[in-house]
Amino acid sequence: MRNLVASVMLVVLLLGGAVWMSKENNEGLTVDNASYSIPKTLRYSIEVTNTSAQLLESVGLWVYAPVKQTASQMVDEVRVAGAQFSLEDDQYGNQSLHLKVLNLPPNGRRVVTVTALLRMSMQPQSVEFDEGVYLASAPYVEIDSPDVKAFSEQFSSMAVQQKVESINTVVGNHIDDAGYVKESLGALYALRHQKGDCSEFMYLSTALLRSQGIPARPVAGFVVSDRGKVLTSVDYHNWTEYFDGNVWQLMDAQNRILKEKNTDYVVFRLLGHDEDARFSERFVIPEDSVKVRLL
């Protein structure tokens, strides 16, 4: 778990969602409302502080928002108190939220409270996607590396389900959990050095699955077992999703979890795409005089 980044990762990943989801504004996703029947409410507050002696008429903050729909979740509504916001989405279902805090006085503070209303599905649901995107080499998923190819050969003669189970076990045993690591290191690093945090378990799993022709993607989010939860940085986690030929399934090699606890894993970002440059640091606070922290 990346549990040392409360002020950063929670701001990055928790602020936002869609006011309303429908098939019309969620192109490419299969919507079956009845299948998403388990409600989940996520709530938290952040404090935005103006450390300058000047009035800030509009404090802008770009952050990630919850993924519109995955095999196991659908976002119905996000309520934001204390700020204005607008929402952008991409072709993969990722969303980006632009938060605006207005008229922040000198040395003043403003509390922004976010409540996200989701529905979870006990069984994974069908979601359309571009298979080629999730079979290719990518930053941190170095399937073209000779080392990754050689290591992956041990799975080649197995049936698909056996490959999946073996990769989950082998990655879980191969990497020593190093605790929180600030920078993402990727699959090749994890393979060679046999250490890392949840990101390295995620990236190596993804690389090995792709190298065996199984579509896979790294994801970021929060593990929340309760139906109602005030989120903290301890809940933040990275894991892998793979496509079994019918639906996306969950693989958390760090915790030896496979195709289980779908309703506990809430996705906030499908990683590994060519993302907007402003998110190279995962969030942007343009004003140097602004500080943000989780309450």
Side-chain angles (χ1 to χ4, degrees), residues 208-244:
L208 294 176
L209 288 163
R210 289 187 185 184
S211 70
Q212 291 299 310
I214 301 171
R217 60 193 185 190
V219 301
F222 294 82
V223 181
V224 181
S225 59
D226 299 332
R227 293 197 180 187
K229 173 74 173 180
V230 176
L231 290 168
T232 70
S233 61
V234 176
D235 306 314
Y236 176 74
H237 193 44
N238 290 325
W239 64 95
T240 299
E241 290 184 347
Y242 71 94
F243 189 68
D244 69 358

Side-chain angles (χ1 to χ4, degrees), residues 186-284:
L188 187 58
Y189 178 94
L191 180 62
R192 290 175 173 173
H193 297 275
Q194 296 184 243
K195 63 181 180 180
D197 64 4
C198 58
S199 293
E200 279 58 66
F201 286 88
M202 169 187 69
Y203 282 125
L204 184 56
S205 298
T206 302
L208 294 176
L209 288 163
R210 289 187 185 184
S211 70
Q212 291 299 310
I214 301 171
R217 60 193 185 190
V219 301
F222 294 82
V223 181
V224 181
S225 59
D226 299 332
R227 293 197 180 187
K229 173 74 173 180
V230 176
L231 290 168
T232 70
S233 61
V234 176
D235 306 314
Y236 176 74
H237 193 44
N238 290 325
W239 64 95
T240 299
E241 290 184 347
Y242 71 94
F243 189 68
D244 69 358
N246 295 300
V247 294
W248 286 100
Q249 300 280 7
L250 185 152
M251 175 186 288
D252 181 358
Q254 184 183 37
N255 293 309
R256 314 303 200 273
I257 293 174
L258 183 66
K259 299 170 63 174
E260 296 181 279
K261 301 184 178 181
N262 295 313
T263 60
D264 291 357
Y265 285 72
V266 181
V267 179
F268 278 76
R269 199 72 177 173
L270 302 175
L271 302 172
H273 305 117
D274 293 330
E275 300 187 52
D276 192 314
R278 67 169 166 261
F279 287 108
S280 61
E281 298 297 329
R282 302 214 176 194
F283 73 102
V284 171

Side-chain angles (χ1 to χ4, degrees), residues 176-193:
D176 289 331
D177 189 349
Y180 168 65
V181 178
K182 182 178 181 180
E183 301 295 334
S184 292
L185 301 172
L188 187 58
Y189 178 94
L191 180 62
R192 290 175 173 173
H193 297 275

